[in-house]
Amino acid sequence: MAEIPTKARAVVIGGGVSGCSVAYHLAKAGWTDVVLLERRKLTSGTTWHAAGLIGQLRGSANMTRLAKYSADLYRGLEAETGVATGMRQVGSISVALTAERHEELLRQATVARIFDVEVHEISPAEAKAKYPHLNIDGVVGAVALPLDGQCDPANIAMALAKGARMRGAKIFEGATVTKVTTAGGRVTGVDYETAEGPGHIEADVIVNCGGMWGRDLALQNGVTLPLHACEHFYLITEPVAGLDPNTPVLRVPDECAYYKQDAGKMMLGAFEPKAKPWGMDGIRKDFEFDTLPEDWDHFMPILEHAMNRMPLFQTAGIHTFFNGPESFTPDDRYYLGEAPEVKGYWIAAGYNSIGIVSSGGAGQALAHWITEGEPPFDLWEVDIRRAQPFQKNRKYLKERVSETLGLLYADHFPYRQVVTSRGVRRSPIHDQLAARGAVFGEVAGWERANWFANEGQEREYRYSWKRQNWFDNNRAEHMAVREAAGLFDMTSFGKIRIEGRDACAFLNRISSAQMDVAVGRIVYTMFLNDRGGIEADLTVTRLSETAFLAVVPGATLQRNLAWMRANLGDDFAVITDVTAAESVLCLMGPQSREVLAKVSPNDFSNAGHPFGNAKEIEIGMGLARAHRVTYVGELGWELYVSADQTAHVFEAIMEAQPDLKLCGLHTLDSCRIEKAYRHWGHDITDEDHVLDAGLGFTVSRKKPAFLGREAVLRREQQGLDRKLLQFRLKDPDPLLFHNEAIVRDGKIVGPVTSGAYGHFLGGAIGMGYVPAKGQSDDDILSARYEIEVAGQRHEAIASLAPMYDPKSERIRA
Ligand SMILES: Cc1cc2nc3c(=O)[nH]c(=O)nc-3n(C[C@H](O)[C@H](O)[C@H](O)COP(=O)(O)OP(=O)(O)OC[C@H]3O[C@@H](n4cnc5c(N)ncnc54)[C@H](O)[C@@H]3O)c2cc1C
């Protein structure tokens, strides 16, 4: 064995497909001084036994972009490296057995068209013609993706490893990283162990590609990497006479099954609804190319369906029953990026059974992020900064991954909630809300009332692509906010206190808006990156000369904390997560002032408490800080109440106004979309320029310097690339969720970034970007717009200004 270097620019830990791809792409990006350490043999963890399905269509534009990149890369790898990869574009077919699944497939076909993936909607008879072994009894419809493929996963990884070596990377097997070493919050290298003894490599950058070992390795450095292995099954028949080698991959999600022709045999793989978590007490030290025990009882329901769906399973002998472990994450999305806890600690792990198709693109994106200092495009969906520290809890993970494996093939209904590992984070008034009919959803571990059931109404979601069972509840809540008043519990907001001598200067340096404001002022601002992209969208309230409170979405809190800490530099300010200290009750609507007057002696008039200001108030027998802001487009106050007084304040309000409408998160969303308020992660991301997003009003033109300023000035000179429009469907019946296609003068121009029903405006409302380069607003607005929903196009009215209360008169009423 060649000698392991004592110094490297980057050390990649793990020689599965993920590590091999990261090493390949780092070397390709010019970081040739890269070392990959693998504890046993390359691919010996999960990679060697993957089924090798390469499906390009994923849930969003950028995930599809990465999967497409993988498919393109793998097609050329054999010629590049001489390693046979088995990559063949046999195409894929997905069939629906229910009308709801058919709607999902048709919506996915629209998504494919937006992202330029070739797709065909086909009838059951056409599916049969393409796939003679398929029994089409009960098949409602299907879609075919002719450019999808299949490959030999282990050889894909070996080809990537060879490609990395060809560019100078050094790869060592039999070298276990025992510790990532750090100093002063930064990576300094790795300690490793080989048969010859221990060693150390000095490096500023390490990439944890440790697959199902990744969580425990990360934990040693206090890094949160919430993933957990599950048993994952497939079986392979004996050779089947006459099986066409070009048989496409077939997915029958309603029967939790996929089928792949494999060297004249047929493979049947399972995504069963309740999976079997594995490896809770750690993974055996000598685990290498291992398999797990057969479990016929567990697999039988899938096989029974298969014998009907593909009758060849009734006669073909079984050659292999395979069970191997793979890591799954709490939200079925993998992790990429730099861990917020330790500088230089990068991650590419937790692939939820799509690691082969994902790793090509993910490796390329991560290498770009490491070498260029920023991701190539918005990667929030898979960003490690979405992980919550509590999620490394093993009991939580074990229960959750038993569900997430199956969710991959479940109906992906809008608003679908997970059912396992619930109740970890709760508002102090959770039980009061439950007693009043709250139906909860979960985000970042927080239980949040999504809607309120009426007396006697079932408190469960009935999911559908059409109007769900809470549609009328949402309408009643929405209209109460528009016409009277409604109370939301928004305790899940992330709250960050920034305090110290330089707090103001620091915030001014990273914010688009002016932060040096009077005490009590609330500023709506963006954090921009140096491309003018939006890293965060938040309000910041000046609490005192030296203390500020930033309020951010619960889901982005860790990311926002990480961004602040990474940009603090030498400024003297302490950044503290104070989320759990205060609850937030939002009283919104034209009658909110009268309601507040019943429980508080303070002055809530425009003169006494103007918009954009926070004041301490007496409420009931306690205190709150009332912030006059809104995310629903109405007169209203957000009441920040210390956690211990929250139940009292809630009771005081409800006693004073017993008929006050309690409102859920679905209503917050429908109201904000009706008012065209942007939501970070949907309508605005680090890839979206603040001016394209129509948020130029949050950018101070007077501040001489702040992060992103030059990018704003540049875009002002060069003109906007795109503009964010609001749309309303003329037909009040269809619904918009997101990812429907915006069609301009007959041509698809992009996805709907967020959608909901505008109960006040009387139709589905969506937002989304349209090209704007060199065009006037008249050009843009005079075009003919339609929105494509599941293959059907619906006429839409487009607007640059919010359709609801365009001058925001109601907010300042
Ligand atoms: C039954 C089954 C079918 C699948 N089918 C598909 C499919 O059709 N398509 C698809 O895209 N995906 C599929 N997958 C998923 C895919 O196999 C995985 O997502 C992928 O292999 C994960 O790759 P990885 O590199 O993250 O993990 P691994 O392959 O497990 O690699 C991690 C490596 O890190 C090494 N390591 C860990 N700790 C250390 C340390 N401290 N020091 C040094 N080395 C270390 C391990 O030895 C291991 O080799 C399937 C998985 C299973 C189980």
Side-chain angles (χ1 to χ4, degrees):
M1 188 160 95
E3 200 147 301
I4 299 180
T6 54
K7 207 169 170 185
R9 194 156 188 195
V11 176
V12 177
I13 306 168
V17 68
S18 175
C20 293
S21 178
V22 170
Y24 171 89
H25 285 99
L26 280 173
K28 205 169 180 177
W31 280 34
T32 49
D33 183 13
V34 168
V35 174
L36 184 153
L37 300 183
E38 162 55 45
R39 51 180 268 286
R40 309 293 286 196
K41 289 264 183 304
L42 292 182
T43 80
S44 67
T46 293
T47 297
W48 70 279
H49 56 58
L53 275 46
I54 303 292
Q56 306 163 86
L57 182 57
R58 310 250 69 95
S60 70
N62 288 346
M63 291 304 107
T64 302
R65 220 152 132 182
L66 293 182
K68 261 181 93 173
Y69 172 89
S70 298
D72 293 345
L73 171 73
Y74 298 166
R75 256 197 313 284
L77 262 188
E78 190 165 331
E80 182 186 330
T81 63
V83 178
T85 57
M87 180 68 190
R88 291 188 310 120
Q89 274 182 316
V90 291
S92 77
I93 297 175
S94 295
V95 302
L97 304 183
T98 67
E100 291 283 11
R101 179 74 73 172
H102 194 213
E103 166 102 11
E104 180 177 333
L105 291 186
L106 295 179
R107 281 180 173 260
Q108 277 177 349
T110 292
V111 173
R113 278 190 281 276
I114 301 173
F115 307 143
D116 246 358
V117 174
E118 188 181 340
V119 62
H120 303 283
E121 292 148 23
I122 57 175
S123 66
E126 287 166 322
K128 177 82 184 166
K130 284 177 186 288
Y131 208 111
H133 292 287
L134 174 69
N135 167 11
I136 55 168
D137 285 355
V139 173
V140 177
V143 298
L145 287 106
L147 300 182
D148 275 0
Q150 63 184 55
C151 67
D152 173 350
N155 282 358
I156 289 280
M158 295 311 255
L160 288 166
K162 180 152 182 216
R165 278 197 194 99
M166 284 160 62
R167 291 176 168 81
K170 297 188 177 64
I171 296 179
F172 299 92
E173 298 183 315
T176 303
V177 171
T178 49
K179 192 168 176 41
V180 174
T181 56
T182 63
R186 293 174 162 268
V187 162
T188 56
V190 296
D191 290 338
Y192 64 84
E193 186 82 46
T194 65
E196 285 80 44
H200 178 78
I201 306 177
E202 205 183 302
D204 297 337
V205 168
I206 68 97
V207 191
N208 180 339
C209 299
M212 60 190 173
W213 291 265
R215 173 195 166 277
D216 289 355
L217 185 66
L219 206 56
Q220 290 185 8
N221 297 95
V223 167
T224 300
L225 177 50
L227 53 82
H228 197 300
C230 278
E231 300 184 30
H232 198 23
F233 302 90
Y234 56 71
L235 58 77
I236 302 176
T237 63
E238 296 290 355
V240 176
L243 202 53
D244 182 348
N246 292 318
T247 304
V249 166
L250 175 73
R251 293 186 181 83
V252 189
D254 293 309
E255 291 172 348
C256 312
Y258 65 86
Y259 301 85
K260 182 191 118 176
Q261 183 283 136
D262 195 1
K265 303 167 187 155
M266 186 60 90
M267 173 189 279
L268 162 65
F271 282 90
E272 66 279 17
K274 188 151 177 48
K276 293 173 70 183
W278 179 84
M280 276 70 65
D281 303 322
I283 298 164
R284 240 183 35 237
K285 215 170 165 202
D286 59 352
F287 190 97
E288 177 182 356
F289 297 116
D290 275 26
T291 62
L292 306 179
E294 293 178 351
D295 186 344
W296 282 102
D297 287 348
H298 190 74
F299 198 80
M300 216 39 171
I302 311 291
L303 184 56
E304 275 166 8
H305 282 305
M307 287 194 284
N308 168 54
R309 190 57 56 205
M310 202 165 307
L312 67 83
F313 276 90
Q314 293 169 14
T315 48
I318 303 300
H319 177 274
T320 310
F321 183 110
F322 186 83
N323 178 9
E326 155 73 333
S327 41
F328 289 84
T329 66
D331 58 5
D332 265 336
R333 289 182 268 135
Y334 54 90
Y335 296 113
L336 276 191
E338 189 176 22
E341 297 91 344
V342 183
K343 184 117 198 70
Y345 197 116
W346 295 80
I347 289 167
Y351 277 101
N352 299 290
S353 87
I354 54 161
I356 308 302
V357 59
S358 304
S359 281
Q364 192 259 351
L366 192 75
H368 182 285
W369 202 342
I370 294 172
T371 57
E372 303 287 323
E374 59 190 23
F377 40 75
D378 165 41
L379 291 172
W380 173 237
E381 268 177 81
V382 290
D383 193 320
I384 183 63
R385 291 172 295 177
R386 76 185 187 283
Q388 304 297 320
F390 86 87
Q391 289 179 312
K392 52 184 175 251
N393 178 297
R394 274 177 294 174
K395 186 167 168 23
Y396 164 87
L397 284 171
K398 180 185 168 199
E399 202 178 313
R400 174 59 63 80
V401 297
S402 73
E403 179 183 10
T404 54
L405 181 150
L407 282 181
L408 289 158
Y409 272 37
D411 289 276
H412 299 112
F413 288 123
Y415 310 107
R416 182 166 186 142
Q417 302 296 322
V418 286
V419 298
T420 52
S421 298
R422 293 287 300 266
V424 181
R425 303 173 85 186
R426 281 182 260 178
S427 151
I429 55 166
H430 176 274
D431 291 356
Q432 279 98 322
L433 297 182
R436 290 169 191 264
V439 181
F440 294 92
E442 187 252 41
V443 165
W446 279 103
E447 292 295 322
R448 311 195 302 179
N450 275 349
W451 57 282
F452 285 82
N454 299 325
E455 194 81 22
Q457 186 183 359
E458 181 190 34
R459 292 186 183 191
E460 290 280 330
Y461 276 90
R462 293 283 156 210
Y463 297 116
S464 165
W465 288 99
K466 305 276 184 280
R467 283 161 171 67
Q468 298 187 3
N469 59 328
W470 49 270
F471 186 82
D472 289 337
N473 305 70
N474 173 222
R475 181 198 302 281
E477 293 172 22
H478 187 114
M479 294 312 290
V481 171
R482 292 282 180 249
E483 292 170 350
L487 187 69
F488 300 82
D489 178 7
M490 288 305 301
T491 298
S492 61
F493 274 151
K495 296 148 219 130
I496 306 169
R497 198 175 162 99
I498 305 104
E499 187 161 15
R501 187 192 64 210
D502 300 335
C504 183
F506 162 61
L507 282 170
N508 245 340
R509 186 161 55 73
I510 63 167
S511 300
S512 62
Q514 176 57 258
M515 291 292 137
D516 196 0
V517 292
V519 171
R521 283 288 298 169
I522 304 166
V523 180
Y524 177 45
T525 187
M526 307 288 128
F527 292 164
L528 302 179
N529 55 38
D530 53 20
R531 292 163 289 162
I534 301 170
E535 291 287 339
D537 150 286
L538 66 162
T539 63
V540 180
T541 302
R542 188 163 202 170
L543 301 175
S544 74
E545 256 326 282
T546 52
F548 293 78
L549 181 77
V551 177
V552 299
T556 66
L557 172 66
Q558 301 304 326
R559 177 191 175 111
N560 302 138
L561 282 165
W563 182 259
M564 287 190 196
R565 288 178 176 143
N567 284 289
L568 184 60
D570 292 332
D571 281 338
F572 185 85
V574 178
I575 298 165
T576 314
D577 171 12
V578 293
T579 300
E582 286 186 332
S583 306
V584 189
L585 302 180
C586 303
L587 185 58
M588 295 288 147
Q591 290 171 12
S592 53
R593 185 175 275 136
E594 286 88 80
V595 176
L596 266 183
K598 292 183 184 177
V599 283
S600 171
N602 291 76
D603 178 4
F604 296 101
S605 67
N606 276 337
H609 195 156
F611 182 76
N613 280 275
K615 285 174 186 290
E616 185 179 90
I617 62 164
E618 294 173 42
I619 186 162
M621 294 181 290
L623 290 177
R625 209 178 47 257
H627 291 216
R628 188 163 163 200
V629 282
T630 180
Y631 195 44
V632 293
E634 299 295 341
L635 173 72
W637 282 264
E638 290 179 354
L639 305 173
Y640 288 73
V641 191
S642 75
D644 53 342
Q645 293 170 40
T646 308
H648 166 69
V649 168
F650 175 74
E651 284 157 12
I653 295 172
M654 295 313 290
E655 272 163 30
Q657 189 75 38
D659 61 349
L660 181 62
K661 193 79 180 160
L662 292 177
C663 300
L665 269 291
H666 292 332
T667 296
L668 192 85
D669 211 36
S670 60
C671 287
R672 74 99 187 155
I673 290 175
E674 201 169 55
K675 180 71 173 106
Y677 285 151
R678 281 74 167 136
H679 186 244
W680 197 90
H682 284 107
D683 314 302
I684 48 179
T685 67
D686 56 5
E687 189 183 341
D688 300 310
H689 196 282
V690 63
L691 298 187
D692 291 0
L695 294 171
F697 68 91
T698 66
V699 179
S700 164
R701 312 297 148 137
K702 294 194 187 131
K703 280 204 307 183
F706 60 88
L707 212 52
R709 181 171 181 270
E710 284 66 34
V712 172
L713 299 181
R714 250 193 331 271
R715 184 62 57 104
E716 254 166 359
Q717 272 178 357
Q718 292 167 354
L720 303 191
D721 281 350
R722 308 174 302 155
K723 280 196 174 182
L724 189 63
L725 297 189
Q726 190 189 27
F727 300 96
R728 178 173 69 78
L729 297 189
K730 287 187 182 167
D731 178 353
D733 197 46
L735 301 180
L736 297 177
F737 305 115
H738 80 288
N739 267 351
E740 297 82 3
I742 300 170
V743 184
R744 178 171 164 173
D745 294 329
K747 187 168 166 283
I748 291 179
V749 292
V752 168
T753 50
S754 57
Y757 204 81
H759 292 285
F760 184 90
L761 295 174
I765 312 290
M767 287 192 270
Y769 290 90
V770 299
K773 196 89 198 157
Q775 297 171 43
S776 69
D777 287 352
D778 275 354
D779 294 337
I780 293 171
L781 293 175
S782 61
R784 186 170 57 86
Y785 288 100
E786 296 161 291
I787 308 285
E788 182 178 310
V789 182
Q792 305 271 323
R793 293 190 173 180
H794 303 275
E795 276 185 82
I797 297 165
S799 175
L800 271 164
M803 292 181 193
Y804 180 73
D805 190 21
K807 296 202 173 123
S808 295
E809 284 157 340
R810 298 175 67 86
I811 295 166
R812 294 184 163 78

